[in-house]
Amino acid sequence: VATLNGLFRVDKTDIVPFTELTISCFSLTEAAGALWVATSKGVYEIRNGQARLVTPGDLYTLSLTPSRTSPSRLYVGTESGLG
């Protein structure tokens, strides 16, 4: 779950924080075998439980959408427009 207080997951009946992402998270999508997270500090790829920043850390990202024609391509909505 993406929240202003970070990324969380539901484990049975518990809500567990993803400790690698404690920044504001706005959007989640799955593409190319990974979970992608739009945050206030860029886009992160989560693969095998590890988060990796894949854009500049000062990029304020709000939304993510995979391309319909090329699913490994992500469109990123930022505070300045489409990136």
Side-chain angles (χ1 to χ4, degrees):
V1 178
T3 75
L4 293 178
N5 294 315
L7 187 64
F8 294 81
R9 65 181 173 85
V10 177
D11 184 15
K12 295 182 184 174
T13 59
D14 297 323
I15 298 173
V16 181
F18 186 76
T19 56
E20 289 189 54
L21 283 178
T22 57
I23 55 180
S24 294
C25 299
F26 302 108
S27 178
L28 304 172
T29 195
E30 185 179 1
L35 180 66
W36 302 84
V37 186
T39 77
S40 59
K41 302 288 183 182
V43 174
Y44 284 81
E45 173 191 22
I46 299 178
R47 191 179 296 271
N48 299 320
Q50 300 295 312
R52 180 176 69 96
L53 181 64
V54 295
T55 63
D58 61 349
L59 186 64
Y60 198 96
T61 59
L62 297 167
S63 63
L64 299 167
T65 302
S67 167
R68 290 182 185 172
T69 58
S70 180
S72 61
R73 174 177 291 182
L74 288 178
Y75 294 105
V76 179
T78 72
E79 66 180 342
S80 302
L82 186 63

